[in-house]
Every structure is written in C-alpha cells, then in structure tokens.
Amino acid sequence: MKPLRLRRLSAQAALIPTWVIVIFAYLGTILWTIRISFTSSGILPKYDFVGFEQYERLFRSARWIISVQNLAIFGVMFIVGCLVLGFLMAVFLDQRIKGEGIFRTIFLYPYAMSFIVTGLVWAWILNPTLGIQHAMHNWGWTSFSFDWLARGDRAIYMVGFAGIWQSAGLVMAILLAGLRGIDEDIWKAARVDGIPTWRVYISIVIPMMSGMFVTAIVLLAIAVVKVYDIVVAMTGGGPGISTEVPAKFVIDYLFNRQNIALATAAASVMFVAVLVVLGPWLYRQYFRKERRAA
Amino acid sequence: MNTVTKNRALAVVASAAFGLAGMQAQAADKAEVIHWWTSGGEHAAVMEFEKAFDAQGGDWVDAAVAGGGGDAARTDGINRIIGGNPPTAMQFNTGKQFDELVSNGLLRNLDPLAKEYGWKDKINPVLLNAVSVDGHMYAVPVDIHSNTWLWYSPEVLKKAGLEPPKTWDDLLTDLAALKKDGVIPLAQAGDAWTQVLTFYNVLITQGGKDLYMKIIKDHDVDAVKSPEFLKVAETFGKLRDYVDPGMQGRQWNQAIALVIDNKAGFNFMGDWAKGEIDVNKKVPGKDVGCIPGLGHQTYWVGGDVFVFPKVKSKAEQASQALLAKVLLEPKVQLAFNEKKGAVPVLKDVSSEGMDQCAQKGLALLKSGDYVPSSDILITPDMSGSIQDLVSAYFTDKSQTPQQFVDQFAAIIGG
C-alpha cells in the first residue's frame, strides 16, 4: 500500500508545475478576460462594473454580426469542402496508381504553406487587375469577368476556397492512412457479393473510418474558430467589412481601437460558443471513455 | 496589412524580451525613443532629430518598431509604460491616443519646459490644444500632416481635354469623362483607413468646416441628419462609380503610383504621398497636381507628437528635457519636416524652399482655414466604428446615402 501511495504522491508533485500553469495561465486569464468584459476599460484595465453594456454594444455592431455570419459561411464551406475534396483525393490515391508518391506530395504541398502565404498568393491570383481576369483579357477574351474577391457579397467564398485549397491535403493524408488500414478481406468479400465499389465506400469504408473523420473534423474546426491570418493576408477584412471574422474583431479592438472591454466581451462570446459546441463532444470523447476504461 | 500583423507579433515578442533586458541596461543619460518611422524617407527625417540631439550632448537610443500605422510601436510602448519600464520618449499621432495615459498620471507634465522656452506662443494653436489636457502640456508636436489632398495627373487630364477641377461637380464630370476614355478615373487603395480619409475630405471640403466640427467635435446628431450631410453622403457615394476593380488589395503607395505613372486621373491621399512622388523623381505641384480640398479649401491638421513618460532617474529626466528642447528648435524642425514631407509646427517659419503643395498648405494654415484631424477630436474606438461604416458603404453600391446617414447618426449619438 504505502509504496503505491508514495509513488502517487511523487507523481502528483511532478504535476504541480503543470497545475500551476493550467490554473494561472489558462483558467486565470480566462476568468480575468471575462471579468474585464463587464467593465468600461479602455486602453488600460479598469475594475468597475457596467453589467452587460459591452455585450449589448457587441450585438448591435454590424461588424460583429457580419463577422459571426462569415465564420459560419467559412466554417461550413471549409469543413465540408476539405472533407469531400480530401476524401476524393485519398480514394484516387488508394487505387494503386502509378506515381502515387508524386501526387501525394503535390496534394499535400499546399499544407506546408502558412495561411499568410496562401492568402497572399490567392489575393494576387484572384485580383481582377493582376490575376486570372487580367490574363484572360490579355489573351483576347475580354468579356471574361472574375472579380469575386473584389465584391463584398462574394469575397468570403473566395477566402473559403483558398482555405480548402490549403487544408484539403491534410484531410487526404489522414483519410489515406485510414483507407490503407481497411482490411483487404473486406474488399474481397464485397467483390464476391458483387457490391459496386462506390457502395462499399459509402456503406462500409466510411463508417469504418469514423475515427479518422472525427480527427479531421476536429482539426478543421479548430482552424475555423481561430481563422485570422488568411483573412488578414487575403482581404484585410475587405471589401469594406465584408470578410471580417471574430478573431480579427478581437485583435482590432484590443490593440488598435483601445477598447479592451469590448474586445474581451467578443473573446468571451467566442469562448462560450466553442464551449457550447465542443463541450458535450469532449465530455463524450474523453471522460466517458476514461471511466469505461477504469 | 500582412506585414503589419507579422510585425505586431514580432513587436509583442520583442517587447517582452526588451522589457527584461531594458531593466538592467537603463544607463543614466541615454534617451530611448520609440517611434515607427522606418520607411526610407521617414528614416532620413528621424536621423535629423538624432543628429541634433547627439550634437547637444544627448545619446539617442533608437527603438523603432516597424509597421506603417504605428499600431505595433504604440502597443509596445504602452505596455512598457504600464509595466513600469517606460522608454524616455515615445511617438504618438496628434490626438487622443495618449489621453488615457495622461488621466492615469503616467506622462510627464511639460508646463515648466513650455514656460522656459515660450512654446505656448510659438506652436500652432490647434496643435497646442491637441497636446494639452486641462491646459497642461503633455506632448511635443513635431510635424503637421494634412490628410485631405486630391492628387491628379496633369498629363492624363490634358490628354482627355480636361481642366483640373475646382468644385466637386467639376470632379464628378471629369471622372465621368475619364471613365468613358477607358482610363482609371480614381485610383484608390483597398485599405479601410484610406477610404475614411477620402470621406473626411468630402465632409470637410464640401460640407464645410462648421458641419465637420458640429458632427465630429460636438457629436451633434441633428447635423448628421441635415440635408448638407446627406449631400456629402451622396457625393461620397458617387465616387464609388469611378474606382476600378483593382482597388481591393492595393496599397496607398501603389494607388498614388498609378497617378504618378499617368495611368490614372485622380487619387485622394494625405501629403505623405509626396514621399512617393519624390522617390519617382517628380515634382509635387508640377508633375503631379495637388488640390488641398475642392470647394472649401481646408487644411486638416494632424501629425505626430512625442510624449515623455514619468521616469524616476534625474539623469533621464534631464535627457527628456534636452530632447524636448531639441525637437522644437526651428532649425531642427525645418530639417526634419523637409525630409518628412510635412510642415513645421512652429508658427513663424519661412516657407522658402518648400514645394508648391507645402506652400499651399502653409497659406491655408496662416489664413486660419484649418480644422483639427478626427484623431484629435474623437477616440480611437469611435474612429474605428466610423471606419467600419465608411468602408462598408464605399465598397457596397447597394447601400443608399440615407442608410449611411442613419447608421452614422447611430454612431455619433453613441
């Protein structure tokens, strides 16, 4: 008994620094952020109390509403697009084609670039006076028009497109690993039964790879919530405020507009939203499994 | 924008690192100066300060933080002041950016120095007012920039058989003619702040000084709902028809470059555009025309200041006093502002040797045709809200002037 307890004690002691960091650096700052969001702080923190004033202003702000809508559009488009494209690419590579290594590298290459570089490159390609449209005009097709990035009602889709271009390769890599893990015998059995290939993928392979899909979705979802750099690089939030996102709202009010109360209110809303969406799932994934294992 | 962000991230890291290093290295008579003048012309200008300061026995330690708008530099400096490790001096834009530092008692009161050197009689009153809180002086203004200029290419206008415009209606006619000729009528940048400057240009020079002051200074909602302001919104809205699709993603210097290269007719930009004109070996006022406002010609007084955080060491206080004195010496002011493309802050400097555009600006300053910049009158918070609204309106043709007016009234009414 005693040695075990001692061992546990030393294990706990070794964890103390981690606990200190978690409590002060993570929980502490989260609580502090929420506290500040109920004050009238400007450039410096002030510890008064103004109730939900900042939150009211936040939800009256056209820019915040647009930011949230954009996050939804970008999020759905990005996650669905990456999954579909990534899965198709993975299936394509799984056909034991020639030069698989080359294709795999090409498909995964965009992911080696940061969002900043991705954004900048696509900003140039999609710029009507520099990129595709300009090239088409030079080649004589003068009626060609592709100016979505310069149009407020379409620009966010272009940001989503660039995001998919960058991240679909990651999904491909994850799903390809999953496909390679599918037992050959399943394929043989399906062939014996005369089931068409597409049906095998949809009814058998995809359900078997649900773990891989969850991993991919979680990684993509995290990228969606913190999306900032690709917008800054590609559009700067423009035209106008049409491609603003919540993270950019927080940064702008924190540093440029000297209103940390409003910035922390926005950050708190983001935090709560993530918690509401991810909380039940995290609980299911980790805590219940642990209990079952114990 | 992307470099600004990257630089900001760097600056945060750097400020953390310097914060530690600086604490030990704070030697007695050094003057550590935070500023964001890092482009070619700006660097040459700030070197004039450094040379003059060092010549009089100071020791200038340059702490430049890159990033055009100065966000990174201000974040860095403010965090150091709050953290108890202030720099000797720090740059701000003329205006309200440092008000909260004053109200929290973090900046040095410059009244004794002002009295000693007679600054209150020598400095342009608008600027003096802008750096004073409750009658006490808290910052040293170093330059005057006007943000409301209209630049044009005389060659493009000549080719199209047009005259430089004198009124807003002239401008709209010219723009329409250029559009028909297939030239870019109005080259603008995609960044929101450039669109805000254009809006203020319309407000001040079409709506007039009084309307601007009523709205921006007194926050008079009735003035926003007046027919005059609706007219401003309409004119500003009409400009949307004459920008080209390449506007999005273009930087301000690329926009003025289109005018310099005679590829576009007009561009709205502040007088720092002269830096670009000089770099291209052209003469402001001759090769590229300048109009300080159509209709009511008005100078929009903004610029840069230095503040001096409260410091304990006597030696550092002495170098603050020396630095403040040097910044405002007439000779240094002239040398600095010539390279900066700005106008000196002292009332009685000769305009000899200045380019035509600077002369025009100086004449307006002398005749009293000027207004304080919006940075002087409103908080960064409200500025930001106006910026969001103006840029959304300018890039979305489906928004009507009336909608713009209503939303503007909501911001001004708080």
Side-chain angles (χ1 to χ4, degrees):
Chain A
M1 261 330 251
K2 207 177 176 189
L4 183 69
R5 201 188 295 159
L6 252 183
R7 226 186 301 149
R8 275 205 184 143
L9 206 69
S10 57
Q12 292 295 339
L15 275 177
I16 284 177
T18 315
W19 277 113
V20 169
I21 290 171
V22 167
I23 290 171
F24 287 96
Y26 291 104
L27 288 176
T29 46
I30 288 171
L31 290 176
W32 187 81
T33 299
I34 294 173
R35 171 71 185 93
I36 293 295
S37 72
F38 288 101
T39 67
S40 62
S41 305
I43 193 172
L44 296 167
K46 212 173 1 174
Y47 296 98
D48 56 349
F49 187 78
V50 297
F52 283 92
E53 207 175 89
Q54 304 295 350
Y55 291 89
E56 278 167 29
R57 182 173 159 200
L58 184 64
F59 282 96
R60 271 204 319 266
S61 148
R63 177 168 163 185
W64 174 253
I65 304 295
I66 287 177
S67 299
V68 173
Q69 285 168 347
N70 280 340
L71 190 69
I73 295 173
F74 177 83
V76 170
M77 188 177 163
F78 179 70
I79 292 179
V80 172
C82 282
L83 284 179
V84 171
L85 195 64
F87 181 69
L88 290 179
M89 290 194 296
V91 168
F92 170 67
L93 288 185
D94 197 35
Q95 308 305 312
R96 313 265 168 210
I97 49 161
K98 255 191 202 161
E100 184 195 314
I102 294 171
F103 280 109
R104 208 172 43 206
T105 311
I106 292 174
F107 290 165
L108 197 55
Y109 229 86
Y111 194 67
M113 280 184 222
S114 68
F115 262 151
I116 290 282
V117 176
T118 306
L120 210 55
V121 167
W122 281 103
W124 287 335
I125 295 176
L126 297 172
N127 184 317
T129 53
L130 295 175
I132 298 175
Q133 180 177 322
H134 185 64
M136 290 297 171
H137 287 193
N138 280 355
W139 291 336
W141 187 5
T142 46
S143 61
F144 181 86
S145 168
F146 190 66
D147 58 352
W148 282 26
L149 196 64
R151 288 178 53 176
D153 52 341
R154 304 269 169 86
I156 187 67
Y157 298 103
M158 290 293 100
V159 177
F161 168 77
I164 293 172
W165 177 83
Q166 198 253 10
S167 296
L170 170 76
V171 177
M172 177 214 71
I174 294 171
L175 295 185
L176 185 60
L179 286 175
R180 290 282 149 87
I182 301 283
D183 199 334
E184 272 299 310
D185 292 341
I186 290 175
W187 281 108
K188 283 179 194 153
R191 222 167 290 143
V192 169
D193 287 340
I195 306 172
T197 313
W198 63 268
R199 193 68 210 269
V200 181
Y201 273 117
I202 288 177
S203 302
I204 301 173
V205 173
I206 290 182
M208 283 180 75
M209 291 180 14
S210 64
M212 297 289 179
F213 275 100
V214 169
T215 308
I217 290 172
V218 169
L219 287 177
L220 295 174
I222 290 169
V224 167
V225 174
K226 64 179 190 189
V227 60
Y228 171 78
D229 33 10
I230 192 170
V231 172
V232 168
M234 206 169 157
T235 66
I241 51 171
S242 59
T243 53
E244 293 288 349
V245 286
K248 189 161 176 292
F249 185 98
V250 174
I251 296 287
D252 278 358
Y253 274 91
L254 209 51
F255 292 117
N256 305 355
R257 299 187 175 178
Q258 303 187 353
N259 189 339
I260 64 172
L262 189 63
T264 50
S268 303
V269 170
M270 283 173 73
F271 171 68
V272 171
V274 170
L275 216 56
V276 167
V277 174
L278 284 185
W281 178 80
L282 279 176
Y283 178 77
R284 248 184 66 131
Q285 281 291 308
Y286 294 105
F287 292 93
R288 282 190 42 196
K289 238 181 230 167
E290 234 169 57
R291 204 171 298 156
R292 227 181 294 148
Chain B
M1 193 63 205
N2 51 314
T3 48
V4 172
T5 323
K6 247 184 286 171
N7 286 333
R8 183 184 302 150
L10 277 180
V12 172
V13 175
S15 67
F18 286 134
L20 292 175
M23 245 181 273
Q24 296 125 21
Q26 205 86 313
D29 49 356
K30 278 185 184 151
E32 196 185 359
V33 187
I34 293 184
H35 62 86
W36 60 84
W37 288 320
T38 49
S39 85
E42 290 172 340
H43 178 73
V46 80
M47 282 300 285
E48 294 292 334
F49 281 155
E50 186 173 338
K51 266 192 307 198
F53 180 61
D54 287 356
Q56 299 195 24
D59 182 6
W60 176 290
V61 180
D62 206 55
V65 181
D71 296 332
R74 289 196 295 271
T75 306
D76 180 22
I78 288 168
N79 280 335
R80 282 187 52 185
I81 292 171
I82 295 168
N85 176 32
T88 312
M90 167 180 178
Q91 181 195 355
F92 274 100
N93 282 125
T94 313
K96 285 193 173 305
Q97 286 167 347
F98 54 91
D99 272 13
E100 272 199 61
L101 295 177
V102 172
S103 64
N104 283 285
L106 294 166
L107 297 185
R108 176 170 172 179
N109 184 333
L110 301 175
D111 281 348
L113 291 173
K115 209 166 164 196
E116 192 181 335
Y117 300 113
W119 287 339
K120 293 196 174 174
D121 302 318
K122 289 182 186 159
I123 297 173
N124 176 304
V126 175
L127 293 173
L128 190 65
N129 210 4
V131 297
S132 303
V133 177
D134 301 328
H136 303 296
M137 191 171 162
Y138 282 99
V140 170
V142 293
D143 57 15
I144 307 178
H145 273 298
S146 176
N147 296 345
T148 50
W149 290 88
L150 174 61
W151 307 93
Y152 64 89
S153 156
E155 201 182 309
V156 170
L157 292 195
K158 214 168 123 197
K159 234 184 249 166
L162 299 169
E163 286 287 308
K166 293 210 166 53
T167 65
W168 282 95
D169 291 333
D170 288 354
L171 175 67
L172 292 171
T173 325
D174 285 4
L175 289 173
L178 289 177
K179 194 176 182 182
K180 226 184 243 165
D181 285 1
V183 189
I184 300 174
L186 182 59
Q188 288 297 116
D191 295 329
W193 63 266
T194 64
Q195 293 157 0
V196 174
L197 293 186
T198 308
F199 166 71
Y200 280 127
N201 195 334
V202 186
L203 174 58
I204 295 166
T205 66
Q206 187 182 47
K209 231 159 82 172
D210 293 341
L211 184 69
Y212 169 80
M213 291 302 271
K214 260 192 223 157
I215 292 173
I216 303 298
K217 179 160 180 270
D218 306 333
H219 299 178
D220 180 349
V221 177
D222 291 334
V224 178
K225 290 183 174 158
S226 66
E228 288 82 23
F229 188 74
L230 184 64
K231 182 120 201 302
V232 168
E234 277 166 9
T235 306
F236 182 58
K238 278 182 195 153
L239 295 179
R240 294 181 293 196
D241 296 331
Y242 302 110
V243 294
D244 65 311
M247 175 177 83
Q248 199 54 41
R250 189 186 284 149
Q251 307 285 320
W252 70 267
N253 48 342
Q254 296 165 325
I256 185 73
L258 286 171
V259 175
I260 297 172
D261 298 342
N262 299 318
K263 285 181 186 149
F266 295 91
N267 169 243
F268 287 102
M269 189 38 63
D271 51 11
W272 50 87
K274 281 194 286 192
E276 296 299 311
I277 298 172
D278 289 340
V279 167
N280 283 278
K281 305 266 182 289
K282 302 263 179 116
V283 182
K286 192 167 135 266
D287 301 318
V288 179
C290 54
I291 301 172
L294 295 160
H296 310 275
Q297 293 208 336
T298 312
Y299 203 79
W300 203 59
V301 180
D304 303 284
V305 304
F306 277 99
V307 300
F308 299 89
K310 278 186 185 156
V311 288
K312 288 209 185 74
S313 131
K314 279 266 179 313
E316 202 177 352
Q317 285 174 7
S319 50
Q320 284 185 336
L322 178 64
L323 180 57
K325 179 187 132 222
V326 170
L327 293 178
L328 282 173
E329 278 176 357
K331 235 177 29 208
V332 180
Q333 273 286 308
L334 270 176
F336 170 80
N337 281 297
E338 196 195 327
K339 296 207 165 138
K340 187 77 174 34
V343 173
V345 297
L346 304 171
K347 278 187 288 191
D348 47 357
V349 285
S350 88
S351 57
E352 242 173 277
M354 289 186 189
D355 61 73
Q356 273 188 44
C357 303
Q359 305 261 15
K360 281 185 196 176
L362 215 55
L364 290 175
L365 276 176
K366 286 205 168 121
S367 65
D369 286 316
Y370 55 77
V371 289
S373 82
S374 62
D375 282 338
I376 295 176
L377 299 173
I378 52 179
T379 60
D381 191 5
M382 187 181 270
S383 270
S385 298
I386 292 176
Q387 177 171 315
D388 288 345
L389 174 62
V390 166
S391 64
Y393 176 67
F394 195 66
T395 52
D396 179 3
K397 284 186 196 169
S398 69
Q399 284 196 36
T400 66
Q402 189 59 49
Q403 283 171 332
F404 177 76
V405 169
D406 293 342
Q407 285 169 299
F408 205 93
I411 294 173
I412 293 295

